[in-house]
Amino acid sequence: MSFTLLPAVDVADGQAVRLVQGAAGTETSYGDPLEAALTWQRAGAEWVHLVDLDAAFGRGDNRELLAEVTAKLDVRVELSGGIRDDASLEAALSTGCARVNLGTAALENPEWADRVVAEHGDRVAVGLDVRITEQGHRLAARGWTTDGGDLWEVLARLDAAGCSRYVVTDVSKDGTLQGPNTELLRQVCERTDAAVIASGGVSSVDDLVALSKLAPAGLEGSIVGKALYAQNFTLEEALEAVR
């Protein structure tokens, strides 16, 4: 099993930024999104995870900029943020990206999401942002501001619709550099035959090595964001470690 790393470029107000636990207002800016993406391409990335945060938060979008970035990259792009209807889906797919991520719409508009994953197959993944509470494994929607239902119920529904891939985030870990929730990822892999991508919490190369050991269970790769920008390690070091 190979293990894929997807360096993240999150875009807000035309700039590459990182958030803490996905919260609006916690942005740290890292400059030009295209330059950030090209940096990861030059370092050996095969994928870039490109996120329109403004679209995700419902405060405008960076659609033209993200299409421009996608067109200028030679690597595959996973595009995420604010894809909630046929028009935004078509706009995202038309950029030439390899794959799009559905988020809130998969929870709030299940009939539409089920149709989309059935129609577009491998070009559509679903992001499952998980908040572990006393009530169980709850999904977070609308930029993590509302409850999106029970993780296992939604997973079963999307599996039945034929979803080919999930991007799983423990909301409490994202942007915190506290390490990923490997137990949550293991549980999701056990419950689905679809591919799973980890997101959130990676702080070290050791974290990535630990995640790569879940590859035989179905963990296909990991998105890496803040740890790269904070220069905890280089992408070259990370790629070498999981090769």
Side-chain angles (χ1 to χ4, degrees):
M1 289 286 291
S2 63
F3 192 76
T4 303
L5 299 184
L6 300 89
V9 180
D10 293 358
V11 182
D13 197 23
Q15 296 290 300
V17 303
R18 293 303 301 163
L19 304 182
V20 177
Q21 294 185 344
T26 64
E27 294 92 345
T28 303
S29 178
Y30 292 97
D32 177 38
L34 176 60
E35 191 46 49
L38 287 171
T39 298
W40 306 138
Q41 177 174 295
R42 289 191 288 265
E46 295 176 7
W47 282 84
V48 169
H49 179 72
L50 196 54
V51 185
D52 189 338
L53 286 175
D54 292 320
F57 286 121
R59 59 187 188 198
D61 66 72
N62 301 273
R63 190 174 289 173
E64 289 178 16
L65 174 61
L66 267 58
E68 192 180 307
V69 171
T70 302
K72 289 180 177 174
L73 292 174
D74 296 325
V75 296
R76 286 170 285 186
V77 172
E78 179 176 84
L79 203 55
S80 183
I83 301 167
R84 294 188 176 126
D85 53 29
D86 286 333
S88 52
L89 174 68
E90 201 45 56
L93 290 172
S94 69
T95 63
C97 68
R99 186 162 72 222
V100 300
N101 263 7
L102 303 184
T104 295
L107 309 177
E108 294 187 351
N109 195 347
E111 292 82 5
W112 177 78
D114 290 357
R115 173 174 62 81
V116 164
V117 299
E119 277 179 15
H120 294 280
D122 208 38
R123 288 199 73 191
V124 174
V126 173
L128 299 173
D129 298 337
V130 183
R131 187 174 273 125
I132 299 169
T133 70
E134 291 175 0
Q135 286 75 43
H137 291 65
R138 307 300 298 177
L139 289 167
R142 295 268 158 199
W144 300 354
T145 58
T146 64
D147 183 84
D150 178 77
L151 166 63
W152 309 121
E153 291 174 8
V154 172
L155 187 67
R157 188 200 91 219
L158 287 162
D159 270 354
C163 187
S164 62
R165 184 172 284 98
Y166 301 102
V167 178
V168 178
T169 307
D170 178 344
V171 173
S172 72
K173 298 280 190 180
D174 190 66
T176 65
L177 301 177
Q178 290 178 351
N181 187 338
T182 52
E183 183 52 35
L184 170 66
L185 293 160
R186 186 182 288 108
Q187 289 173 8
V188 174
C189 289
E190 285 172 356
R191 300 271 194 125
T192 181
D193 292 329
V196 177
I197 294 174
S199 174
V202 168
S203 66
S204 67
V205 168
D206 288 346
D207 287 338
L208 292 171
V209 172
L211 288 173
S212 70
K213 289 176 180 172
L214 292 175
L219 192 68
E220 182 181 74
S222 177
I223 294 168
V224 193
K226 193 167 186 177
L228 285 174
Y229 290 94
Q231 299 180 329
N232 288 18
F233 51 82
T234 67
L235 184 59
E236 290 93 337
E237 287 167 345
L239 289 166
E240 182 60 35
V242 301
R243 193 159 279 137

